[in-house]
Amino acid sequence: MHLTSRLFTPLSEGLKTVQQESCHLEKCVHVFGGIYTVIQTKAKITVDEWGENYIMMGPYYEHNFKTQVEKCEPPNQAIKAAMDSLINNGCQVHFGRWLIEGSPYVILFDIGAAAWNLDRWKGDLWNACSIGLPYHDREANDSLIFGSLVAWFFKELTDQLQDKPNVIAHFHEWQAGTGLVLSRSRKIPLATVFTTHATLLGRYLCAGNADFYNNLDKFNIDQEAGERQIYHRYCLERAAVHCAHVFTTVSQITAVEANHMLHRQPDVVTPNGLNVRKFSAMHEFQNLHSMNKAKIQEFVRGHFYGHLDFNLEKTLFFFIAGRYEFSNKGADLFLESLSRLNYLLRVHKSDVTVVVFFIMPAKTNNFNVESLKGQAVRKQLWDTAQSVKEKFGKRLYESLLRGEIPDMSKILDRDDFTIMKRAIYATQRHSFPPVTTHNMLDDSTDPILSNIRRIGLFNGRNDRVKIVFHPEFLSSTSPLLPMDYEEFVRGCHLGVFPSYYEPWGYTPGECTVMGIPSVTTNLSGFGCFMEEHVSDPSEYGIYIVDRRFRSADESCSQLTQFMFSFCQQSRRQRIIQRNRTERLSDLLDWRYLGRFYMHARHLALSRSFPGKFKMDHLNLAPTQGFRYPRPASVPPSPSASLHSTPHHSDEEDDDTYDEEEEAERDRQNIKAPFTLGAEPEGKSKQPLENGN
């Protein structure tokens, strides 16, 4: 993410004195570029660990400082003195509390006010590591200004502290990595951690439709970066990776990528978590699903007016959401699978209809008139029905008061029938319901619309799969679909995210904590994580498409089969599966995953200050303790867990299923991933130290 694209990006993590057995953990500072969700959701658990010594750093933007930060004085005199030193030398530095959960302290540097130093700092960077930045790359220049201010601040801070306490600096992404490189080149006494959430070159190669994972060991890295005019950025990223005491990444699949792209194996894998909010009332998330599904049904009634010949009680809502990266996010595979799913549902004469939402922002100029008209027609029909209902109810009431059974053929007069007929005629339309809700600026070349034309899914009456492309993020203030993203997700039945390049993937994780099943792939960090920790992910509502060891056609067929099997489930089976999916949310809670970051910080201290901090090598796999077995109520054979035909009763019961018993058994499978101890003598040598 661009440093300049955020209001402010939190960048530093924690300052604190902590006693932990033989490890005297004292100060920690956390720096990153634009991994907003990770840092924002992790803030609370880190504040719980570090208290007021947890500090984040980022660029200053006036409007956002006024609306998201409570200005205050630094609680530590050393921090105040370091800030004053920069301010006295012409820089602008601001301090406050970021108004998010946990309320962490933030230090914000005004990049624009320090831009007059850019040429001098470019010279410093060249002298430090022989990396030059072109004048036209504003993002790289901003990262240099920010990194230089951070390194300057750390120099002043450590001079004030005099090694009491020590400081840990945790940098995220290449945009913040400049501060790490400069700090190490100036021999500032810091323990440093660098986290890459996706390699820079990996994103570019996948966006160019390269056969990335099958050719990881064949790419000429320098040449590929040079051809894409990002060689200087790549050098900054690689320098940060090799300068850090501890290098981490967010998933095993990205660890493999980083080893080839950046030539260093990550020391720790730090999976991304979420703040999981559990409801006090059991199954309240099921009630939320029902409530929000009703809102989506109202939208569908308006959008498909005149063609509403399918039963909404037997309609499933699928969706894909995220950045509009057509291939990286798997929209190409999804559309082809939807075409095949439509064929299967028609051939099997299924009474199930699937409405698929594409929530991906694209260039538009306004709402589609036909979409707005649909919602207006729906509203008019509702008003008409309410008017007739009131008349009907009043006449029925008066008839019963007189002790008469009303003549149903006379209780409504001719005017009432006329009003209803006019309302019915108003719903007639001579065109298909629109595929997109907005007027697209690049309609003829848009990848999603072009592929919809190719596969011929135009929301026809015979199509069992309907498509709604909403090229804008959701908002509760929208006149079309007035729902926030969280409400929308809770109202859907299945999220489909068949990504080709997804270092982690928050969208299926968000579905999981809300109790909504999802499709992911073994090329996403989330998919790899679930494969590792859940014996039978599909029974817990996590369908993992194999995109690494299969051809595109085989992956497409597998995704189609997942969706078709989901369509065959009864309502009761879907409820049971949502219960199981929601229970997996414990796996994604920062209360558990935050321990991996804790381990990275301890490791950095033991490598940077070996005389003071020691820790044991971990003999156990860092993920041991997480394991969800196959649910006890599921038959031994996976094929036996689904009915052979979609035509079965929703009221059927399964005597082998006990929600409370299964939930208690699953809760017992969540344990601490590891324990931290002291590193034996002679084991604290840091890798690549001589090459820094």
Side-chain angles (χ1 to χ4, degrees):
M1 300 298 293
H2 294 210
L3 283 171
T4 54
S5 68
R6 290 287 185 189
L7 277 80
F8 83 87
T9 44
L11 295 174
S12 32
E13 184 171 74
L15 295 153
K16 170 183 179 185
T17 302
V18 182
Q19 288 285 354
Q20 293 205 359
E21 298 177 357
S22 63
C23 186
H24 193 68
L25 195 59
E26 298 191 331
K27 283 193 182 256
C28 167
V29 183
H30 204 103
V31 185
F32 79 104
I35 310 303
Y36 185 82
T37 304
V38 176
I39 301 303
Q40 185 186 35
T41 57
K42 188 167 65 68
K44 184 181 185 302
I45 190 171
T46 316
V47 168
D48 291 342
E49 179 189 356
W50 293 92
E52 292 192 346
N53 292 320
Y54 173 67
I55 298 181
M56 309 175 97
M57 304 169 73
Y60 168 83
Y61 298 103
E62 183 179 4
H63 172 72
N64 303 303
F65 183 80
K66 290 180 177 178
T67 57
Q68 296 194 24
V69 178
E70 178 187 6
K71 188 175 182 178
C72 62
E73 288 297 316
N76 186 294
Q77 280 302 116
I79 296 174
K80 184 172 180 12
M83 289 175 55
D84 289 342
S85 179
L86 269 67
I87 293 170
N88 293 337
N89 282 278
C91 301
Q92 294 185 20
V93 188
H94 305 266
F95 191 91
R97 283 191 181 275
W98 191 17
L99 299 178
I100 60 171
E101 193 173 5
S103 300
Y105 285 127
V106 290
I107 300 173
L108 303 177
F109 301 93
D110 193 325
I111 294 176
W116 57 276
N117 286 303
L118 180 59
D119 289 339
R120 177 166 64 88
W121 285 338
K122 282 188 177 183
D124 291 344
L125 182 65
W126 177 261
N127 293 332
C129 54
S130 300
I131 298 176
L133 303 183
Y135 73 92
H136 57 78
D137 189 343
R138 181 175 178 181
E139 182 178 8
N141 290 332
D142 283 350
S143 72
L144 174 58
I145 297 171
F146 177 73
S148 299
L149 289 168
V150 167
W152 187 357
F153 175 84
F154 282 148
K155 177 66 169 66
E156 298 292 338
L157 178 64
T158 52
D159 286 349
Q160 291 286 330
L161 293 172
Q162 292 296 315
D163 202 29
K164 293 180 181 179
N166 298 108
V167 177
I168 305 174
H170 190 153
F171 301 76
H172 290 251
E173 294 293 76
W174 71 270
Q175 293 97 328
T178 311
L180 190 158
V181 175
L182 293 173
S183 296
R184 292 304 305 279
S185 69
R186 296 169 186 173
K187 303 188 185 307
I188 299 174
L190 297 172
T192 57
V193 183
F194 181 78
T195 297
T196 181
H197 297 253
T199 69
L200 181 65
L201 188 56
R203 283 197 183 277
Y204 274 81
L205 288 169
C206 287
N209 294 322
D211 187 5
F212 184 63
Y213 292 100
N214 290 325
N215 295 284
L216 273 174
D217 57 341
K218 301 179 181 64
F219 289 115
N220 184 327
I221 305 301
D222 291 337
Q223 179 182 338
E224 296 288 352
E227 288 177 352
R228 288 160 178 79
Q229 299 182 22
I230 58 167
Y231 186 70
H232 57 288
R233 297 185 180 193
Y234 165 73
C235 289
L236 286 175
E237 181 180 44
R238 186 165 169 179
V241 165
H242 287 271
C243 284
H245 293 105
V246 172
F247 171 45
T248 82
T249 190
V250 297
S251 64
Q252 292 292 347
I253 192 70
T254 312
V256 174
E257 173 189 341
N259 194 30
H260 288 90
M261 296 287 109
L262 301 171
H263 299 288
R264 180 175 175 181
Q265 183 70 30
D267 300 292
V268 184
V269 171
T270 51
N272 291 341
L274 287 163
N275 286 335
V276 178
R277 182 168 60 92
K278 291 290 186 179
F279 296 105
S280 55
M282 187 175 297
H283 304 319
E284 186 176 342
F285 74 95
Q286 296 278 14
N287 297 332
L288 289 172
H289 167 73
S290 180
M291 289 167 49
N292 290 299
K293 181 180 71 173
K295 294 180 182 179
I296 299 175
Q297 287 176 335
E298 281 301 290
F299 166 81
V300 169
R301 287 186 176 98
H303 192 80
F304 291 91
Y305 82 90
H307 288 256
L308 202 63
D309 52 355
F310 50 91
N311 186 353
L312 279 177
E313 293 304 315
K314 294 185 177 181
T315 298
L316 302 179
F317 301 132
F318 295 0
F319 79 99
I320 183 173
R323 290 188 304 274
Y324 197 164
E325 297 175 6
F326 184 68
S327 298
N328 280 1
K329 295 298 184 184
D332 51 352
L333 187 74
F334 188 26
L335 282 166
E336 180 60 35
S337 298
L338 289 175
S339 176
R340 300 182 185 188
L341 175 65
N342 185 54
Y343 173 78
L344 285 176
L345 292 174
R346 291 174 62 179
V347 166
H348 287 81
K349 301 186 185 305
S350 174
D351 59 354
V352 172
T353 301
V354 178
V355 176
V356 184
F357 292 87
F358 284 75
I359 312 296
M360 291 181 161
K363 294 180 180 179
T364 66
N365 59 19
N366 213 329
F367 291 108
N368 187 312
V369 172
E370 191 64 22
S371 296
L372 290 172
K373 179 183 176 183
Q375 299 308 313
V377 168
R378 178 193 62 78
K379 180 67 166 57
Q380 182 184 12
L381 283 175
W382 174 258
D383 291 342
T384 300
Q386 291 298 106
S387 174
V388 173
K389 184 181 76 172
E390 287 181 9
K391 289 184 180 180
F392 182 92
K394 185 177 180 181
R395 291 168 185 168
L396 176 62
Y397 173 63
E398 291 174 348
S399 178
L400 293 176
L401 282 176
R402 293 193 299 269
E404 301 173 357
I405 298 296
D407 184 349
M408 301 306 292
S409 62
K410 296 180 180 178
I411 202 166
L412 293 178
D413 56 31
R414 181 174 296 180
D415 288 342
D416 296 325
F417 283 102
T418 300
I419 291 173
M420 290 189 288
K421 286 178 181 178
R422 287 176 60 183
I424 291 173
Y425 290 150
T427 65
Q428 294 180 355
R429 75 194 314 175
H430 303 290
S431 60
F432 290 146
V435 168
T436 179
T437 58
H438 291 60
N439 294 322
M440 304 289 293
L441 293 182
D442 302 318
D443 184 287
S444 60
T445 59
D446 182 81
I448 289 178
L449 295 181
S450 297
N451 276 270
I452 289 174
R453 295 185 188 103
R454 178 182 62 82
I455 62 180
L457 283 180
F458 300 120
N459 295 337
R461 290 184 181 275
N462 294 326
D463 290 328
R464 296 270 55 83
V465 174
K466 319 283 188 180
I467 293 180
V468 178
F469 179 21
H470 189 280
E472 192 176 81
F473 285 131
L474 296 169
S475 170
S476 58
T477 60
S478 169
L480 204 60
L481 185 55
M483 300 180 74
D484 288 329
Y485 179 71
E486 180 179 335
E487 295 176 322
F488 176 79
V489 171
R490 287 191 183 278
C492 288
H493 295 91
L494 182 70
V496 185
F497 315 102
S499 304
Y500 181 76
Y501 186 77
E502 192 72 80
W504 177 251
Y506 259 120
T507 41
E510 289 166 340
C511 286
T512 302
V513 300
M514 297 182 205
I516 302 300
S518 62
V519 177
T520 184
T521 73
N522 60 354
L523 292 182
S524 74
F526 175 83
C528 294
F529 183 82
M530 285 301 176
E531 277 189 324
E532 185 178 358
H533 302 307
V534 182
S535 295
D536 191 351
S538 61
E539 291 301 334
Y540 282 93
I542 309 294
Y543 300 92
I544 301 174
V545 177
D546 185 355
R547 296 201 66 178
R548 190 174 185 185
F549 304 110
R550 295 194 184 195
S551 67
D553 182 69
E554 290 173 323
S555 299
C556 186
S557 297
Q558 186 183 20
L559 175 56
T560 305
Q561 190 56 49
F562 282 155
M563 294 191 293
F564 183 62
S565 298
F566 189 86
C567 291
Q568 289 181 297
Q569 291 182 5
S570 68
R571 181 174 179 271
R572 173 172 169 76
Q573 286 174 315
R574 292 197 301 271
I575 290 173
I576 291 173
Q577 190 174 65
R578 283 197 296 272
N579 285 335
R580 291 173 180 159
T581 302
E582 195 270 343
R583 289 204 300 275
L584 290 185
S585 61
D586 285 340
L587 278 174
L588 303 175
D589 198 321
W590 275 123
R591 291 178 300 157
Y592 300 100
L593 298 185
R595 299 165 190 260
F596 292 99
Y597 278 93
M598 184 191 303
H599 173 51
R601 293 191 288 265
H602 279 247
L603 192 59
L605 282 169
S606 69
R607 289 177 174 177
S608 55
F609 307 109
K612 296 176 61 178
F613 301 98
K614 302 182 186 301
M615 63 183 293
D616 285 329
H617 280 303
L618 302 176
N619 297 319
L620 302 177
T623 55
Q624 183 168 338
F626 289 140
R627 193 63 181 174
Y628 272 57
R630 178 193 295 271
S633 62
V634 176
S637 171
S639 61
S641 63
L642 289 176
H643 292 262
S644 58
T645 170
H647 302 291
H648 50 272
S649 171
D650 282 349
E651 284 73 32
E652 61 185 321
D653 201 358
D654 185 353
D655 294 334
T656 63
Y657 177 72
D658 186 321
E659 166 64 18
E660 287 302 317
E661 182 181 334
E662 271 196 14
E664 181 58 32
R665 190 171 304 177
D666 282 343
R667 280 192 289 270
Q668 293 172 359
N669 282 282
I670 289 288
K671 303 171 186 173
F674 48 72
T675 57
L676 301 173
E679 186 171 61
E681 293 293 334
K683 296 292 187 178
S684 59
K685 181 181 178 182
Q686 62 192 67
L688 306 169
E689 177 67 14
N690 295 332
N692 290 348

